[in-house]
Amino acid sequence: MANVSMSITEFVLMGFSDSREGQVLHVVLFLFIYLAALVGNLLIVLLTTSDQHLHSPMHFFLRTLSLLDVCFISVTVPKAIIQSLTQNSSISFLGCVAQVFLVVLFACAELALLTVMSYDRYVAICRPLHYQVVMKKAAYEQMLAASWLSGIASGFLNTSVTFSLPFCRSNFVHQFFCEIPSLLKLSCSEKFVAEIGAIIVTTSLGIVCFISILVSYIHIFSTAMSIPSVKGRSKAFSTCIPHLVVVTIFLNTGSIAYLKPVSESPSVSDLMVSVFYTVVPPTLNPIIYSLKNQDIKAAFWKMLRKTIFKYNDGNKNSNNNKGIDTSFSSDKCEVKLVNCNRLPSI
């Protein structure tokens, strides 16, 4: 029985539609969402890297979050698009293993990073005089490393435990990507002690992160309400509310996907829940942060103006060069015409 899983060489993923029209609609929609996520997140990476005013710890974490989002959405969406285009829903066994590992890695690393970002906002608003000491470069680099390590450890733990189980019921996964709850339904083992242990460890990590974020924001909002100036309060809320929205969407949808019982038959609601925690947060994050973050908006308009000015200057130089060439060619033409006029008539 332990070797039954080795006989499965591939899994079949669930599509969003059986009709060709529905598949085309799915491709167009997912392609638009994927490109929007790529452009938005890579733009934040570009702005926070090139602008000297955006080299604070908060923007360092925001840049890392954008990179994580690009990786996170790239694990599932391109495969789903190719699946609908080619009408081939299969994924190899090793491909499924890699997808489970990367999804868990990036999801847990992002959750840990969101917790670190909430702590950064807590120190900035509640202990502003100690901010430079607490959030020095070595400290926030260690926090970032801990976020990545937690994601890698969770990925290895959940992937190794999931694929150590024997699969003998079917190879049809009731999801558009390899998701652990759907894979567990395919196992012929009745004992999920190891996997339950892995889920408990991962869930405990999520609960610790959630409590840490909650405590940080309780302190942040109580401190923000005591700020006498309206401008100071609005600035504090403008930097915190986007972060809270992102955390809420990510935690709620992720918890529903992994903690709810898996249905016996595939359903659209299961697909939509998975879309909401794998696709929606990476797409919304750059929009939410760019709309509420004044520094990001200022850097964007500054870069846009600089690009437009360079383009206009380039066109002017190009036109000037063309004018010189034109006058030169006109002179040549005049010379040729004069020589032609001096030819003797026949």
Side-chain angles (χ1 to χ4, degrees):
M1 194 64 116
N3 295 324
V4 177
S5 60
M6 299 305 295
S7 63
I8 293 180
T9 59
E10 65 178 18
F11 292 95
V12 179
L13 301 175
M14 178 180 173
F16 283 87
S17 175
D18 294 328
S19 66
R20 191 57 187 164
E21 293 78 9
Q23 290 171 349
V24 171
L25 179 62
H26 160 245
V27 168
V28 172
L29 182 60
F30 260 39
L31 185 61
F32 175 77
I33 292 172
Y34 183 61
L35 292 177
L38 283 185
V39 171
N41 284 294
L42 292 178
L43 182 61
I44 288 180
V45 172
L46 176 63
L47 292 173
T48 54
T49 303
S50 60
D51 197 308
Q52 295 295 325
H53 298 94
L54 301 180
H55 286 180
S56 66
M58 180 186 73
H59 296 107
F60 174 78
F61 293 136
L62 182 56
R63 178 167 64 248
T64 307
L65 179 66
S66 296
L67 288 172
L68 268 174
D69 283 335
V70 169
C71 297
F72 192 23
I73 197 171
S74 297
V75 174
T76 56
V77 172
K79 174 63 179 174
I81 293 173
I82 294 171
Q83 173 185 328
S84 293
L85 281 175
T86 61
Q87 295 183 313
N88 181 10
S89 301
S90 64
I91 182 172
S92 66
F93 187 88
L94 291 179
C96 190
V97 172
Q99 201 172 54
V100 168
F101 172 72
L102 292 174
V103 166
V104 176
L105 187 159
F106 294 130
C108 292
E110 182 159 332
L111 178 58
L113 182 62
L114 290 172
T115 307
V116 171
M117 291 174 72
S118 69
Y119 177 72
D120 172 76
R121 292 299 82 207
Y122 159 75
V123 177
I125 294 173
C126 301
R127 300 175 61 190
L129 298 178
H130 300 87
Y131 185 78
Q132 296 297 330
V133 177
V134 176
M135 298 302 296
K136 54 188 178 181
K137 187 176 181 180
Y140 65 72
E141 285 179 348
Q142 289 173 1
M143 294 177 187
L144 178 62
S147 300
W148 278 104
L149 286 174
S150 66
I152 293 171
S154 298
F156 270 119
L157 177 64
N158 285 275
T159 305
S160 59
V161 170
T162 300
F163 288 95
S164 66
L165 298 172
F167 298 104
C168 60
R169 291 178 179 169
S170 171
N171 68 336
F172 185 78
V173 181
H174 293 171
Q175 267 301 344
F176 72 97
F177 68 98
C178 288
E179 191 182 46
I180 291 176
S182 298
L183 289 170
L184 292 180
K185 295 293 293 183
L186 307 181
S187 175
C188 51
S189 174
E190 299 297 331
K191 297 179 180 179
F192 299 118
V193 177
E195 181 56 33
I196 290 173
I199 291 176
I200 288 174
V201 170
T202 308
T203 306
S204 300
L205 173 65
I207 292 172
V208 169
C209 291
F210 174 73
I211 293 173
S212 301
I213 293 170
L214 189 63
V215 170
S216 296
Y217 275 100
I218 289 173
H219 286 287
I220 287 170
F221 287 132
S222 62
T223 303
M225 292 304 294
S226 63
I227 297 175
S229 65
V230 177
K231 185 177 180 181
R233 284 198 301 271
S234 63
K235 185 177 181 180
F237 285 123
S238 66
T239 57
C240 294
I241 289 177
H243 180 74
L244 193 58
V245 170
V246 170
V247 170
T248 303
I249 294 173
F250 186 72
L251 278 178
N252 285 346
T253 53
S255 300
I256 292 171
Y258 276 84
L259 297 181
K260 76 176 184 63
V262 180
S263 58
E264 293 295 333
S265 58
S267 63
V268 177
S269 61
D270 291 337
L271 285 173
M272 294 311 298
V273 168
S274 296
V275 166
F276 264 93
Y277 88 89
T278 57
V279 178
V280 174
T283 308
L284 287 183
N285 283 356
I287 299 173
I288 292 171
Y289 280 110
S290 60
L291 286 178
K292 289 294 183 178
N293 194 303
Q294 298 297 327
D295 296 331
I296 294 290
K297 286 196 289 187
F300 172 74
W301 290 116
K302 179 182 175 182
M303 185 186 72
L304 190 62
R305 285 194 298 268
K306 191 180 292 185
T307 304
I308 292 173
F309 288 152
K310 283 184 179 180
Y311 178 76
N312 289 336
D313 290 341
N315 279 344
K316 287 180 182 178
N317 293 333
S318 178
N319 290 332
N320 290 335
N321 291 334
K322 286 180 181 177
I324 293 172
D325 292 335
T326 303
S327 62
F328 179 71
S329 62
S330 298
D331 291 341
K332 289 169 67 178
C333 288
E334 287 177 4
V335 171
K336 289 181 179 178
L337 287 172
V338 169
N339 290 336
C340 291
N341 291 332
R342 287 180 181 177
L343 292 173
S345 57
I346 298 175

